[in-house]
Amino acid sequence: MADVQQGKVTGFLERILCIEPGEVKIVLSSFAYFFFLMASYFILRPLRDTMGTVYGVAHLQELFTGTFLLSLVAAPVFAGFASRVRLATFLPWVYWFIAITMVIFYTLFRSVTNDRWVAAAFYIWLSTFNLITISVFWSLMADIFSAVQARRLFGFIAAGGTLGTITAPAFITLFVKAVGTNNLLLISAAGFAICALLVRLLEAEKQKLISKGTQTQPTTLTHGLGGNPFDGFALLFRSRYLLMIALFLLLMTWISTVIYFQLGDLISKDFASRTARTQAYATIDLATNSIAILIQLFGTGRFVQRFGVTAGLLLNPVIMVMAFLAVAFSPVLLVLGSIQVVRRFSEYAIAKPSRDMLFTIVDQQAKYKAKNVIETVVYRFGDLTSAWLSAAILPFGVAGLAFFGVAVCLLWFPVAFVLGRQYEKGRPAG
């Protein structure tokens, strides 16, 4: 009977979720890792956005500037440690360090209330480290799973993170008043500590798969990467393939930031209290991720295997052209909030896993160092430039937003196409 039940489970995993029997433990561990990572971040994300309104929506571009500057420092620091410390030791400590900083902010928030500078520090730090931790996660995934495995599994693994992003805002919506806003920091710290433990588990599982001859990336985590703290920048500018990934991400960031600014302006006008704004942001997150998880569990792997990574990269710009046209005709909070939901679930469910698959065909240095530069410095440079541009667009309202958004999407589309075709050739160009 037990064998029959196990066979049914194995059959379900293979037919419905595209997971082969030898991959079950490492895939489910990766799923759990991403769940705790994203839940730990998303339980703080509405608080971060609320701190942005405490600092002042009209001055958000200043926070984006601070985040970009901190990212410029953080990227070489990360690469420096990755060069000199065994990856199996360094990667868990990324999450231990984040957990410690959350405890520090908990102490600060208990000491002061609505202080603009504490709010700014929290906003900038959270906006910087969240990109680093997510980049570390997907770098590790690209360092474990082969390109063929990634097409099948990255959608399911991404669903673990989406489940975390559903759990966190649902918890906030239901219990933030009972738990207290400040205590969310301690809950998040515990989640990051669990992530550190799961990184250790995945390193051990990767070694087991290599010893069994299972199809995985042949690299190990038992060494530092060597080189210097600025290798990530050098690798980026030496590779046309990596530069194309950076441009893709930059254009995507421009789109997301202009929507974020307009949405923040409307929420600030419609909701007076800090708690109400936090709940409004959490509600948007909950709607986004409830849709995304269904697509990731049952659609992403099949979509990419059927239509290819190129189609996955193209989907977001196509959707956003239609979305900007819709919001131009109806510039109200409900419509703009809906656009934010559509943008995010199409990005999380299809575009993000497709973009992370691009790194399965580069070497280990590029996976950790160049990827970290792209997903921190380039991403925040996109935030910075679009933040100041959004501040200029804001007086023109939705008409300015729609014009800018459509123009960016028209450039984004060919970049996605060329990048996807290069990946599907199986080797980076340059």
Side-chain angles (χ1 to χ4, degrees):
M1 178 64 75
D3 291 339
V4 172
Q5 292 297 324
Q6 185 176 0
K8 289 181 178 179
V9 171
T10 301
F12 171 80
L13 292 173
E14 189 168 358
R15 290 192 309 272
I16 307 300
L17 301 180
C18 304
I19 303 173
E20 295 181 359
E23 302 166 338
V24 172
K25 186 173 181 180
I26 197 165
V27 170
L28 293 182
S29 297
S30 301
F31 182 97
Y33 170 17
F34 205 29
F35 168 82
F36 283 105
L37 173 57
M38 296 306 288
S40 300
Y41 166 59
F42 265 75
I43 207 166
L44 298 179
R45 180 169 168 157
L47 179 59
R48 181 206 67 172
D49 293 336
T50 301
M51 290 299 103
T53 64
V54 170
Y55 187 78
V57 173
H59 301 283
L60 278 179
Q61 65 271 22
E62 297 170 8
L63 297 180
F64 279 60
T65 302
T67 301
F68 172 67
L69 293 175
L70 183 57
S71 297
L72 275 177
V73 174
V77 169
F78 175 91
F81 277 107
S83 297
R84 292 165 175 77
V85 181
R86 289 191 329 134
L87 291 175
T89 300
F90 170 60
L91 297 181
W93 265 104
V94 171
Y95 297 103
W96 285 119
F97 179 70
I98 300 302
I100 291 168
T101 64
M102 291 302 99
V103 175
I104 293 172
F105 274 109
Y106 169 78
T107 303
L108 288 173
F109 281 4
R110 284 178 60 88
S111 302
V112 297
T113 303
N114 289 337
D115 182 273
R116 289 185 76 238
W117 298 110
V118 172
F122 180 74
Y123 189 102
I124 290 170
W125 175 235
L126 192 68
S127 299
T128 301
F129 89 67
N130 86 286
L131 293 182
I132 294 174
T133 56
I134 294 171
S135 178
V136 166
F137 172 82
W138 284 111
S139 293
L140 183 57
M141 294 301 102
D143 204 16
I144 292 175
F145 299 105
S146 69
V148 174
Q149 288 176 306
R151 287 173 177 260
R152 291 187 291 105
L153 301 174
F154 274 18
F156 176 79
I157 291 170
T162 304
L163 181 60
T165 64
I166 293 171
T167 304
F171 178 84
I172 292 171
T173 302
L174 295 173
F175 301 112
V176 66
K177 292 181 181 179
V179 172
T181 303
N182 292 342
N183 289 327
L184 297 178
L185 292 156
L186 298 181
I187 297 171
S188 175
F192 285 119
I194 294 172
C195 289
L197 299 176
L198 286 169
V199 172
R200 291 282 194 184
L201 175 63
L202 284 170
E203 192 273 337
E205 287 302 311
K206 174 179 168 69
Q207 290 302 116
K208 289 179 183 178
L209 291 180
I210 291 174
S211 65
K212 293 178 181 177
T214 304
Q215 184 188 40
T216 57
Q217 297 283 2
T219 53
T220 70
L221 303 177
T222 57
H223 58 90
L225 295 176
N228 66 72
F230 299 98
D231 281 343
F233 294 94
L235 290 166
L236 173 59
F237 288 109
R238 285 203 302 260
S239 169
R240 286 176 292 167
Y241 182 73
L242 294 173
L243 282 171
M244 287 290 288
I245 297 175
L247 180 57
F248 179 93
L249 185 63
L250 180 66
L251 296 172
M252 186 199 75
T253 305
W254 282 355
I255 293 294
S256 63
T257 303
V258 294
I259 294 176
Y260 176 78
F261 265 66
Q262 292 283 345
L263 188 63
D265 183 56
L266 291 178
I267 286 177
S268 294
K269 292 175 180 176
D270 287 11
F271 300 99
S273 74
R274 172 174 157 178
T275 298
R277 292 174 190 174
T278 300
Q279 289 179 315
Y281 281 116
T283 299
I284 291 172
D285 288 341
L286 179 60
T288 299
N289 299 317
S290 298
I291 299 170
I293 192 170
L294 294 175
I295 299 173
Q296 289 167 331
L297 284 174
F298 305 110
T300 303
R302 286 175 172 77
F303 180 92
V304 174
Q305 289 187 87
R306 173 67 178 83
F307 299 105
V309 170
T310 302
L313 296 173
L314 288 172
L315 187 63
N316 228 209
V318 170
I319 288 175
M320 289 315 301
V321 168
M322 296 184 288
F324 279 117
L325 294 176
V327 80
F329 287 102
S330 187
V332 296
L333 178 59
L334 179 61
V335 172
L336 192 58
S338 299
I339 295 303
Q340 181 74 320
V341 170
V342 171
R343 181 195 68 78
R344 283 182 175 172
F345 83 68
S346 62
E347 178 186 334
Y348 298 162
I350 303 293
K352 181 67 169 68
S354 297
R355 194 175 80 242
D356 287 310
M357 291 175 198
L358 300 175
F359 289 93
T360 59
I361 62 171
V362 300
D363 62 25
Q364 199 173 35
Q365 290 269 348
K367 283 183 174 73
Y368 289 98
K369 293 184 178 181
K371 191 175 193 297
N372 181 257
V373 169
I374 291 170
E375 296 186 349
T376 56
V377 178
V378 173
Y379 192 104
R380 289 314 180 196
F381 175 75
D383 276 345
L384 171 63
T385 52
S386 56
W388 287 98
L389 185 58
S390 295
I393 293 173
L394 202 59
F396 297 95
V398 176
L401 167 69
F403 178 81
F404 177 77
V406 170
V408 171
C409 287
L410 292 177
L411 177 58
W412 193 10
F413 188 91
V415 170
F417 179 79
V418 172
L419 184 59
R421 296 301 296 168
Q422 186 61 54
Y423 166 82
E424 288 170 358
K425 291 178 181 178
R427 63 186 186 281

